[in-house]
């Protein structure tokens, strides 16, 4: 009898561990929803129900996510970690979440993201990284995300976004990019070209507003013509490095920090978007061509009028003086006149 009671109590304890609800959390078994929000938590609660599908951990004080933080909930499909103090995410923090579709990391203190961070999320559909302090996104955040449809990175510190990262998301349809520090120079041309193709295919974006340089500050990236982009200058090899080692030189290369710094600044300045140069005297040239054409037309008309006048004057003069001359100089008519005069009356 005592053995049966001991077995029964052990089963109860095991069920409480497996299907119990952590302190400061509210579990809804009918919907597999666990709500641990607004509880002042500093870490992920232990003993989460393994059948959990939706987990809310927003509005807490979680600073760090260790590796394998969610292995106890392998069937998780939606995870909300917004409005915490997250600043450090271990590369394997989301390991084991093969079914996760929605991940909300908005309103935290993230500065950057490891390229391996999302490797274990093949089913991810929505990723919200908005309202952080992210200044750089890696070229790739994992393998090709065939299922990702929504990406939000607005309200961060981004200046550039690699085209290769966007091309790894062939199914994305909503892209939120506003309120960053976009530097609209030659390095952002790839993003512009990708966005134009993205919008043409029916994608929706809130746009990219330039934060620098001053020439384009406040302008929409998509409204800047392609011809205003200058190709990015290639890094020129250091001429000093190709010279043979000089006698008496310890390292063989004379470093000139100030010159290198100035050349770097020149490269950056050359990389900035520059307005397309326009001919300074274009209007003057057009006006000159028009005036020249008008003058030539007037001169031609005057010459034509003079020719007509001359021909007309010559014809009238010839008609006026030609009649008597013809009559006087015709020998036949003179002889006939003389015979008529000499005949008897």
């Amino acid at each position: 009898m005592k053995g049966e009671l001991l077995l029964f109590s052990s089963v109860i304890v095991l069920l409480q561990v497996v299907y119990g609800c952590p302190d400061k959390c509210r579990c809804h078994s009918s919907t597999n929803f666990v709500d641990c929000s607004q509880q002042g938590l500093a870490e992920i609660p232990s003993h989460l129900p393994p059948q959990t599908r939706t987990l809310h951990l927003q509005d807490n004080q979680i600073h760090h996510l260790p590796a394998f933080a969610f292995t106890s909930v392998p069937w998780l499909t939606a995870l909300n970690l917004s409005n915490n103090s997250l600043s450090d995410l271990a590369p394997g923090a989301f390991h084991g979440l093969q079914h996760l579709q929605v991940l909300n990391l908005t309103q935290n203190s993230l500065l950057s993201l490891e390229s391996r961070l999302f490797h274990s999320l093949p089913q991810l559909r929505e990723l919200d990284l908005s309202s952080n302090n992210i200044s750089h996104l890696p070229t790739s955040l994992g393998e090709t995300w065939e299922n990702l449809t929504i990406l939000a990175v607005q309200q961060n510190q981004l200046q550039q976004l690699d085209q290769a990262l966007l091309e790894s998301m062939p199914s994305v349809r909503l892209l939120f990019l506003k309120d960053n520090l976009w530097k609209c120079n030659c390095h952002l041309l790839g993003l512009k070209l990708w966005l134009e193709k993205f919008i043409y295919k029916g994608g929706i974006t809130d746009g990219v507003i330039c934060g620098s340089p001053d020439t384009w500050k406040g302008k929409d990236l998509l409204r800047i013509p392609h011809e205003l982009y200058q190709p990015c200058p290639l890094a020129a090899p250091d001429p000093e490095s190709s010279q043979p080692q000089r006698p008496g030189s310890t390292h063989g290369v004379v470093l000139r920090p100030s010159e290198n710094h100035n050349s770097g600044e020149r490269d950056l300045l050359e990389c900035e978007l520059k307005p397309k140069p326009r001919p300074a005297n274009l209007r003057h040239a057009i006006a000159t061509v028009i005036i020249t054409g008008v003058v030539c037309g007037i001169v031609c008309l005057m010459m034509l009028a003079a020719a007509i006048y001359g021909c007309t004057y010559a014809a009238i003069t010839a008609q006026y003086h030609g009649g008597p001359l013809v009559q006087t100089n015709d020998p036949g008519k003179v002889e006939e006149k003389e015979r008529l005069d000499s005949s008897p009356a």
Side-chain angles (χ1 to χ4, degrees):
M1 187 66 179
K2 293 181 179 179
E4 293 178 356
L5 291 175
L6 181 61
L7 179 61
F8 183 72
S9 61
S10 299
V11 171
I12 292 177
V13 171
L14 181 60
L15 290 174
Q16 287 178 346
V17 171
V18 175
Y19 297 104
C21 190
D23 295 338
K24 298 184 178 181
C25 294
R26 296 175 296 277
C27 301
H28 305 274
S29 59
S30 60
T31 57
N32 295 324
F33 169 53
V34 178
D35 186 4
C36 303
S37 60
Q38 299 180 347
Q39 298 298 320
L41 300 175
E43 59 183 12
I44 305 300
S46 58
H47 306 302
L48 289 167
Q51 72 276 15
T52 303
R53 296 293 192 274
T54 302
L55 177 59
H56 283 186
L57 289 165
Q58 68 269 26
D59 303 320
N60 282 293
Q61 299 176 6
I62 303 173
H63 296 269
H64 170 69
L65 284 185
F68 311 104
F70 300 98
T71 53
S72 62
V73 284
W75 298 101
L76 202 62
T77 59
L79 176 59
N80 191 340
L81 288 163
S82 63
N83 197 25
N84 276 277
S85 302
L86 284 171
S87 59
D88 181 27
L89 303 179
F94 303 110
H95 182 78
L97 298 181
Q98 297 290 327
H99 305 281
L100 191 67
Q101 298 180 7
V102 180
L103 178 58
N104 190 341
L105 292 169
T106 186
Q107 295 181 349
N108 280 288
S109 302
L110 299 174
L111 300 176
S112 62
L113 298 175
E114 288 281 344
S115 60
R116 299 171 294 168
L117 184 62
F118 303 107
H119 278 196
S120 58
L121 304 176
Q123 301 299 322
L124 195 63
R125 297 179 181 273
E126 301 179 17
L127 177 59
D128 192 347
L129 299 169
S130 60
S131 301
N132 280 278
N133 294 313
I134 301 173
S135 59
H136 174 72
L137 288 176
T139 304
S140 173
L141 291 176
E143 299 179 358
T144 303
W145 287 355
E146 297 288 347
N147 299 306
L148 191 70
T149 57
I150 300 176
L151 175 64
V153 293
Q154 71 268 30
Q155 296 181 359
N156 277 285
Q157 306 294 318
L158 293 171
Q159 294 186 2
Q160 300 176 14
L161 188 59
D162 200 292
Q163 184 177 354
L165 175 62
L166 298 171
E167 290 177 348
S168 67
M169 310 172 188
S171 301
V172 69
R173 290 295 174 266
L174 291 176
L175 185 60
F176 301 100
L177 301 170
K178 266 190 176 180
D179 299 325
N180 277 281
L181 303 178
W182 299 114
K183 191 172 185 180
C184 295
N185 58 12
C186 56
H187 296 291
L188 218 60
L189 178 59
L191 174 61
K192 172 182 172 64
L193 297 176
W194 186 92
L195 284 175
E196 290 176 347
K197 184 178 179 181
F198 171 71
I199 295 173
Y200 177 78
K201 291 183 176 181
I204 299 174
T205 181
D206 57 354
V208 174
I209 305 301
C210 300
S212 64
D214 292 339
T215 307
W216 307 114
K217 188 174 183 179
K219 303 292 184 182
D220 189 342
L221 175 68
L222 295 176
R223 295 184 179 273
I224 301 176
H226 291 84
E227 58 268 20
L228 298 186
Y229 284 86
Q230 303 295 329
C232 292
L234 299 176
D238 187 2
E240 298 291 343
S241 61
S242 60
Q243 294 181 359
Q245 184 173 356
R246 299 178 182 178
S249 175
T250 305
H251 302 287
V253 177
V254 179
L255 298 178
R256 300 179 181 178
S258 59
E259 293 184 1
N260 293 336
H261 178 71
N262 293 335
S263 63
E265 289 183 350
R266 286 196 299 271
D267 290 343
L268 290 176
L269 290 175
E270 291 177 0
C271 189
E272 301 292 344
L273 265 176
K274 298 178 181 179
K276 185 178 180 181
R278 299 180 179 178
N281 297 322
L282 179 59
R283 294 181 179 177
H284 296 255
I286 295 174
T288 302
V289 171
I290 294 175
I291 293 174
T292 303
V294 172
V295 171
C296 290
I298 294 174
V299 171
C300 290
L301 291 175
M302 292 177 64
M303 293 176 65
L304 179 61
I308 294 174
Y309 175 78
C311 292
T312 304
Y313 179 78
I316 294 174
T317 304
Q319 185 178 3
Y320 178 76
H321 295 285
L325 290 175
V326 172
Q327 295 177 1
T328 306
N329 296 330
D330 190 349
K333 292 183 178 181
V334 171
E335 291 178 358
E336 183 179 357
K337 184 178 180 181
E338 290 177 353
R339 285 196 302 269
L340 292 173
D341 292 341
S342 62
S343 60

